[in-house]
Amino acid sequence: REDALSLNPKGARQLQLAKIPSSHALNRQATRTAPRIFSTIQEEHIMSQNMTTGGWGSRLGFILASAGSAVGLGAIWKFPYMAGTNGGAVFMLPFIFFTLTIGVSLLIAEFAMGRAGRQGAVGSLNRVAGKPWGIFGGIGVFTVFLILSFYSAVGGWCLKYLWDAVLGNGLITDTAKLGEYFGGFVSNAFDSYGYLLLFLAITAYVVMNGIEKGIEKVAKILMPALFILMLILIVRGVTLPGGWKGVEFLFTPRWEDFNGSALFNAMGFCFFSLSLGAGTMITYGSYLNPKADLPSSVGWVAFLAIMAAILGGLMVMPAVFAFNLDPAAGPGLTFVTMPAVFAQMPFGHGFAIAFYACLTVAALTSSVSMLEACATLLVQECRLTRRTAILATLAGCALVGFAANMSFGPWADVKFFGKNIFDLLDYVTSNVGMPLSSFGSAIAAAWIAWPAMQRELQTTRMLPPSVLTTIRILTGFCAPLFVAVVA
């Protein structure tokens, strides 16, 4: 062919001209390639942001950290008294059912959109579902900021009681005096606020070290330690004389106690226990390896959350029944009733240390996920450095936490809609912020970003169409209805 062209210079000239695109062709080509170039730049920017934080070093680390975020104080502090005040097994069984259906579908939606967007709660929803949907991510992160602010007060209580247990203080059998002691501590604004700040400082220290070296490393140590400590306390509790009655209370259905209130509370606790609608799971999903099996990871997180709640009940109820105390004592069960239990138990000092260590660990594994979600938003949306974002969030939480903490002391009479500041924050986040964020995420996942959801669900294996349809129905129909009922 080259020989023929050399013999025909005119043909060679025409061929050379044909290879040179016209200005119009260049413009058309630029128009076509510009979006791809812009998309590539965006991808590189997102990856550079993620590089400052890092990703999960292993699938196990992701599962343990996510389970730690879901478990939190709910498993040990809230589940025992919720079960105690709602009929035991007739509360626990619906909770398990809702967790394995609606809860799993919402977890899948949040993890999948986080991994598809590779950003935090706002950026991932904007990127996967479109600009307006990021608002729901913003609502979730603002909600979790408020939760971290007043949750840190409870975290401070855990630190206080852990320190008391180490010193051997507070182990008396008189629950009236224990109630006075607890009331005196939380109403002492100076002491209780100091423990709140200490809890926030520990949380910030973990998050400062990033994902793999901070959150994941701590989760790999604390989560196994939590389950081991819980098992030790369970064995001791069920071997106490009369302790088996606590096990029967949790696992024997008393259908005469089943009512709408128990069902409603089980739905609400499912929502609370999995950290849904808080932006934390979307943020954690954004650091997940694209090759990780998402459905099985979600299954493990849900399973560990359920097991932690059941173990929390088994850790408390047998000891409560063994000493003929009230299982329906409410929130005071942890800080008023349990010290009386340890005071009557052989080697109670050591078991008190283990119990309040469990509480502190559970509180910390949740708080680090909350702070991470807030810091990620500031880094990606406000272009702050990670250190500055963490410190800014910490300062805001300390300020809001101060108001929540004062509501047990000097500001106890300051009320809005009949609630003090702490209770108002709890009500707004649980009944407005988290449900609204989850509602938007569920709709976006099932009806706006379903193609992206399908891709994320099938990165490692193809799922049968019936499974995908079931997930979509649970996410797009059942979950919004569930959220509306809970709210």
Side-chain angles (χ1 to χ4, degrees):
R1 187 175 60 199
E2 290 176 354
D3 290 341
L5 289 175
S6 65
L7 295 174
N8 186 1
K10 184 178 179 181
R13 175 64 178 167
Q14 289 175 342
L15 181 62
Q16 289 174 347
L17 290 173
K19 291 181 178 180
I20 301 175
S22 66
S23 61
H24 293 293
L26 286 171
N27 288 337
R28 287 195 299 271
Q29 183 178 1
T31 302
R32 288 193 301 269
T33 56
R36 292 198 297 271
I37 294 171
F38 182 69
S39 177
T40 303
I41 292 172
Q42 280 187 317
E43 292 279 358
E44 291 175 352
H45 177 63
I46 292 167
M47 292 304 295
S48 67
Q49 286 178 329
N50 284 344
M51 285 296 290
T52 63
T53 306
W56 302 112
S58 65
R59 179 167 168 262
L60 175 63
F62 163 73
I63 291 171
L64 290 176
S66 300
S69 174
V71 170
L73 281 173
I76 305 173
W77 174 53
K78 196 169 185 177
F79 180 81
Y81 81 76
M82 289 288 287
T85 55
N86 289 280
V90 295
F91 167 82
M92 184 174 67
L93 294 176
F95 158 68
I96 294 173
F97 171 77
F98 289 130
T99 299
L100 293 178
T101 52
I102 305 299
V104 164
S105 70
L106 287 171
L107 274 179
I108 286 175
E110 296 198 7
F111 281 143
M113 286 192 294
R115 188 167 71 173
R118 308 305 295 173
Q119 290 187 294
V122 174
S124 291
L125 280 169
N126 276 337
R127 193 159 183 266
V128 176
K131 272 286 184 184
W133 295 95
I135 294 172
F136 292 100
I139 292 171
V141 175
F142 180 69
T143 298
V144 87
F145 164 76
L146 295 179
I147 293 174
L148 179 59
S149 300
F150 72 83
Y151 182 93
S152 296
V154 185
W157 302 348
C158 297
L159 288 174
K160 163 66 175 174
Y161 272 71
L162 174 60
W163 181 241
D164 280 351
V166 171
L167 296 178
N169 297 333
L171 298 184
I172 59 177
T173 58
D174 190 341
T175 55
K177 289 184 178 179
L178 288 169
E180 291 176 5
Y181 179 78
F182 178 70
F185 165 67
V186 298
S187 62
N188 185 324
F190 181 80
D191 287 350
S192 57
Y193 188 60
Y195 278 100
L196 182 152
L197 293 177
L198 177 60
F199 181 79
L200 280 174
I202 295 172
T203 302
Y205 175 77
V206 174
V207 178
M208 280 282 190
N209 288 304
I211 298 299
E212 185 175 358
K213 294 181 179 179
I215 298 173
E216 181 176 354
K217 185 177 180 180
V218 168
K220 283 182 174 179
I221 296 171
L222 294 188
M223 285 304 291
L226 173 63
F227 282 102
I228 291 171
L229 288 172
M230 292 173 80
L231 289 173
I232 292 171
L233 289 166
I234 289 169
V235 171
R236 184 65 193 119
V238 297
T239 55
L240 290 169
W244 194 252
K245 291 180 181 178
V247 179
E248 294 175 347
F249 177 82
L250 284 175
F251 290 99
T252 302
R254 298 185 305 281
W255 298 111
E256 65 274 12
D257 294 335
F258 183 77
N259 53 42
S261 177
L263 186 66
F264 177 82
N265 287 326
M267 294 172 70
F269 185 72
C270 164
F271 197 86
F272 176 86
S273 67
L274 294 177
S275 297
L276 297 171
T280 54
M281 295 310 189
I282 296 179
T283 304
Y284 273 14
S286 69
Y287 305 132
L288 183 60
N289 191 312
K291 296 181 180 179
D293 188 340
L294 187 60
S296 67
S297 298
V298 169
W300 274 108
V301 172
F303 171 76
L304 290 175
I306 291 171
M307 286 303 301
I310 294 174
L311 292 177
L314 288 172
M315 187 171 66
V316 173
M317 286 302 170
V320 168
F321 274 84
F323 295 104
N324 297 313
L325 297 172
D326 185 9
L333 190 65
T334 301
F335 297 105
V336 177
T337 304
M338 290 307 293
V341 170
F342 296 127
Q344 302 173 67
M345 184 185 294
F347 307 105
H349 179 207
F351 287 111
I353 294 174
F355 178 78
Y356 289 109
C358 283
L359 275 181
T360 305
V361 167
L364 187 62
T365 54
S366 278
S367 64
V368 294
S369 69
M370 298 182 206
L371 182 55
E372 177 63 29
C374 296
T376 299
L377 176 68
L378 293 178
V379 168
Q380 295 177 346
E381 303 299 325
C382 301
R383 301 295 187 265
L384 299 180
T385 64
R386 181 171 174 82
R387 182 183 181 84
T388 303
I390 291 171
L391 293 177
T393 304
L394 209 65
C397 288
L399 184 62
V400 178
F402 175 79
N405 188 71
M406 292 287 281
S407 65
F408 295 103
W411 295 357
D413 294 330
V414 178
K415 295 187 177 181
F416 302 90
F417 309 104
K419 302 179 184 295
N420 64 26
I421 298 172
F422 185 97
D423 291 337
L424 181 66
L425 289 171
D426 186 19
Y427 179 84
V428 169
T429 54
S430 299
N431 295 276
V432 181
M434 294 175 73
L436 185 58
S437 179
S438 282
F439 185 88
S441 298
I443 296 296
W447 306 115
I448 308 300
W450 182 245
M453 285 279 294
Q454 285 182 296
R455 286 195 299 272
E456 294 301 324
L457 288 169
Q458 301 183 103
T459 53
T460 57
R461 54 190 168 126
M462 296 299 293
L463 298 177
S466 59
V467 173
L468 292 172
T469 301
T470 301
I471 292 173
R472 191 174 191 183
I473 290 173
L474 286 172
T475 306
F477 285 107
C478 300
L481 180 62
F482 173 86
V483 170
V485 171
V486 170

